[in-house]
Amino acid sequence: MALGYVTFITIATVCIGVTATCALCVRSSALPRTIAELENRARELAPYLGVTLLVLLVKRWTHYRRLELSYALDWNITAEIYAVEGSFVAGLQSIVPDTLIGFFSAMYMFGFPYLLVSALVLYFLLATQRRFKQLLVAYALNTLVGSIFYTLFIAYGPRNHLSTVNGLMYEFYPQTQELTAEVSANTNVFPSLHTSLAVIVAIFAWRSRRDYPRWFPIASVVATLVVFSTMYLGIHWLIDVIAGVVLGVWCVLTAERLVARAEGEPVSASDDRETGLTTELND
């Protein structure tokens, strides 16, 4: 019952957020154009959608098998993470008022899927589908690499390892634990995929700021709050977040190159024309 209720609330909240974002950021001509080109876009995007869906399905189908393998390998790096980082998360929880637990829980539960879905919708509505293709590939790479790390390494979050850290969201909203348990395990900590995916969306928002100038400030603020919430709620270590940032950047850069090669275009020329990144980095 709790799982169905939380799922419904999450879907409803994300739909409202995406609709409001489109109303704020998208030109009125985008939707009729997209509808008129829907069949052509579906054919063009089919390989990318197929690969991304396959990665997600394989991740889902192998979830318990990968957990069994992870426990069999027994490479637990929790103590090593704590030895490097110490009680950073405990200190973070001690300085943030408890009145913000609900807000950061909402960012973690609703802000995160809102970012992922909004980015997909916004880039699908653009005249060119390059950014949408790159985003799909970045999501797939993130899922693939994250699954490998979660299989190889066992790592428990601060709330499971330290008595001084509380699992704030699960204590105040225990019904959310049932939903998160469906898609992840409490050993899936290093790196933080909430962080890496939020970083991916934020980078895409930066690069598409000419197309969607209002989207970048929205995405950057929500992404920052999502990343912060993973630590404040006791779910991830700071080291997990740093690793997530690195993974997110790598996924974006690799996705750009893979899409350029798939489209038969030089990587550097594609990057210059579509994102302007090379020019910005060299200035």
Side-chain angles (χ1 to χ4, degrees):
M1 184 66 179
L3 176 60
Y5 173 75
V6 174
T7 302
F8 171 76
I9 293 298
T10 301
I11 292 173
T13 303
V14 170
C15 288
I16 292 171
V18 171
T19 302
T21 301
C22 289
L24 185 65
C25 300
V26 179
R27 295 185 179 91
S28 58
S29 59
L31 185 57
R33 180 187 63 218
T34 301
I35 294 173
E37 300 174 356
L38 197 57
E39 185 176 348
N40 291 333
R41 292 191 187 191
R43 284 196 297 267
E44 181 183 354
L45 295 172
Y48 297 92
L49 289 168
V51 170
T52 303
L53 182 60
L54 179 62
V55 170
L56 293 174
L57 289 175
V58 170
K59 175 182 179 292
R60 180 61 181 171
W61 290 336
T62 61
H63 176 68
Y64 294 106
R65 292 296 178 89
R66 286 185 290 103
L67 274 179
E68 292 174 359
L69 177 58
S70 184
Y71 288 131
L73 293 172
D74 197 25
W75 293 343
N76 192 327
I77 61 173
T78 311
E80 286 75 12
I81 293 176
Y82 176 66
V84 173
E85 179 176 323
S87 301
F88 174 82
V89 173
L92 194 65
Q93 286 192 346
S94 68
I95 62 175
V96 178
D98 290 345
T99 53
L100 294 177
I101 293 174
F103 173 75
F104 284 112
S105 295
M107 285 296 105
Y108 186 86
M109 289 297 300
F110 308 136
F112 175 66
Y114 157 77
L115 276 179
L116 304 190
V117 177
S118 292
L120 287 172
V121 172
L122 289 174
Y123 299 131
F124 183 71
L125 291 173
L126 284 176
T128 173
Q129 295 301 290
R130 177 170 295 278
R131 295 196 194 281
F132 187 83
K133 295 173 184 176
Q134 292 171 344
L135 187 64
L136 284 176
V137 174
Y139 283 177
L141 288 170
N142 184 86
T143 300
L144 182 61
V145 174
S147 297
I148 293 172
F149 270 87
Y150 287 170
T151 303
L152 292 177
F153 302 111
I154 291 174
Y156 292 95
R159 67 186 177 88
N160 298 122
H161 188 70
L162 299 177
S163 60
T164 53
V165 174
N166 299 314
L168 298 177
M169 182 175 69
Y170 300 133
E171 291 176 3
F172 282 78
Y173 305 102
Q175 61 269 33
T176 61
Q177 194 161 10
E178 193 173 346
L179 177 60
T180 56
E182 284 293 313
V183 296
S184 186
N186 61 1
T187 57
N188 294 167
V189 169
F190 178 85
S192 167
L193 298 192
H194 267 65
T195 296
S196 57
L197 286 165
V199 166
I200 287 171
V201 173
I203 293 174
F204 271 89
W206 167 255
R207 296 189 175 182
S208 63
R209 63 195 183 279
R210 294 178 183 173
D211 297 305
Y212 294 126
R214 295 176 178 173
W215 170 233
F216 172 65
I218 295 172
S220 58
V221 169
V222 175
T224 300
L225 292 172
V226 168
V227 172
F228 183 84
S229 72
T230 65
M231 294 182 289
Y232 171 64
L233 297 173
I235 298 169
H236 284 288
W237 306 87
L238 175 61
I239 288 176
D240 303 333
V241 167
I242 294 172
V245 171
V246 173
L247 175 59
V249 172
W250 178 83
C251 286
V252 173
L253 296 177
T254 305
E256 287 180 343
R257 284 158 175 74
L258 289 176
V259 171
R261 288 170 183 167
E263 299 295 309
E265 299 177 0
V267 175
S268 59
S270 172
D271 288 347
D272 285 345
R273 183 177 65 254
E274 292 293 332
T275 68
L277 177 68
T278 306
T279 302
E280 291 172 5
L281 289 179
N282 289 334
D283 285 345

